Amino acid sequence: MTSASTARLSARGLSAGYPGRTVIEGLDLDFAPGRMTMIIGANACGKSTLLSALARVNTPSAGSVELDGADVATLSRRRFAQSVGLLPQHPTAPDGLTVAELVSRGRHPHRGVFQRWGADDTARVDDAMAKTGVAALADRPVGDLSGGQRQRVWIAMALAQEPRVLLLDEPTTFLDLSHQIEVLDLLRTLNRTDGTTIVVVLHELNLAARYADDLVVMSAGKVLAHGAPADILTREVVAQAFDLDALVIPDPLTSTPLVIPVPGGAHAPADEA
């Protein structure tokens, strides 16, 4: 099997949207293998639509998503799930489900219909909980946890799936700043230690610039800029993508781009579709 670090995910001429509305059209994009890519942009620019198409949740109207050069539409659901994991924006767990039970669900793609739970499954679940720091919570109901703890548990479930590509849609939404940092630190550690290709839709511009190896800036369903944050996150790009006048300076701690809005620099938002 191809190792996680060489998983190649691409969009080729991709068009997708919803009944009566095309959100992204003719999009071409390559995600760097073994790196962490952040997708940013204003509301309704197509970020989540792109991610759902990459995850096969939303069927493209044209073009394709490719994994290691193969159209993912040709892969069985089980085979796709063995390679690509998705953490949606608002995951929910059944009432009373414990942390260990939820994380164990990540093993489903690797087990046949009549295959019994084995030692390897237990080892993978234990490893996923250890890596995400939730092993001590194994017997706790998921519903009793804090927001940051729940997000780590959902990431543990995705890790138990052993994906070579992990897609996350706004994983820090509704978390306070300390828990946002906790989740992003965890993702970066997993990327560095396991070589998993990670693609994250994020709304917080400065955190995206700090944690991303590569940044994708979207506007009106198109890729406006793509590359290393320091190379592509400029005042002009921020103005075009977010309709915002801002200074872009080096972060004094990390030297990554730091976006500082100019007072009075925000324009009236357009109506969202």
Side-chain angles (χ1 to χ4, degrees):
M1 177 184 290
T2 305
S3 67
S5 60
T6 59
R8 294 179 291 110
L9 184 69
S10 306
R12 294 283 177 261
L14 187 68
S15 297
Y18 308 94
R21 181 185 175 211
T22 298
V23 178
I24 57 177
E25 187 171 11
L27 187 146
D28 290 299
L29 190 59
D30 291 299
F31 295 94
R35 289 165 69 87
M36 190 151 76
T37 299
M38 301 281 188
I39 304 174
I40 61 172
N43 290 342
C45 72
K47 305 184 299 293
S48 292
T49 300
L50 171 59
L51 200 77
S52 65
L54 295 174
R56 291 205 335 183
V57 173
N58 187 343
T59 302
S61 57
S64 62
V65 174
E66 296 182 358
L67 180 64
D68 297 331
D71 188 338
V72 300
T74 67
L75 305 178
S76 69
R77 181 171 304 203
R78 181 183 177 192
R79 184 178 173 193
F80 180 75
Q82 288 174 346
S83 292
V84 179
L86 170 68
L87 180 58
Q89 191 171 143
H90 302 294
T92 57
D95 290 342
L97 198 71
T98 67
V99 167
E101 290 169 340
L102 178 61
V103 177
S104 296
R105 293 189 173 196
R107 297 302 301 158
H108 288 178
H110 297 277
R111 301 173 63 239
V113 177
F114 302 107
Q115 184 176 344
R116 291 190 173 189
W117 186 269
D120 183 62
D121 296 309
T122 298
R124 297 295 182 182
V125 169
D126 289 347
D127 182 61
M129 290 195 295
K131 284 180 176 177
T132 53
V134 299
L137 307 174
D139 297 325
R140 294 264 307 271
V142 176
D144 290 351
L145 305 180
S146 69
Q149 289 172 327
R150 280 198 300 272
Q151 283 298 74
R152 286 191 282 127
V153 169
W154 284 106
I155 293 170
M157 187 193 76
L159 291 184
Q161 190 177 327
E162 296 182 88
R164 298 187 295 126
V165 178
L166 181 56
L167 310 174
L168 304 100
D169 192 1
E170 301 278 16
T172 61
T173 299
F174 306 128
L175 298 181
D176 59 36
L177 183 58
S178 66
H179 287 123
Q180 291 180 45
I181 298 296
E182 177 184 288
V183 168
L184 293 172
D185 279 342
L186 170 62
L187 292 175
R188 183 160 62 182
T189 297
L190 295 172
N191 169 258
R192 298 299 191 257
T193 57
D194 295 351
T196 305
T197 300
I198 296 179
V199 180
V200 185
V201 168
L202 207 66
H203 69 276
E204 217 297 326
L205 195 55
N206 288 323
L207 288 180
R210 174 174 287 194
Y211 282 89
D213 296 312
D214 297 296
L215 206 58
V216 175
V217 184
M218 294 190 65
S219 177
K222 305 288 186 181
V223 174
L224 176 63
H226 178 205
D231 294 337
I232 60 102
L233 196 59
T234 64
R235 188 170 188 169
E236 293 73 23
V237 166
V238 171
Q240 189 170 347
F242 296 93
D243 201 19
L244 176 70
D245 187 18
L247 297 179
V248 181
I249 64 173
D251 186 304
L253 293 178
T254 63
S255 297
T256 54
L258 182 65
V259 178
I260 303 176
V262 173
H267 301 282
D271 292 337
E272 291 185 21

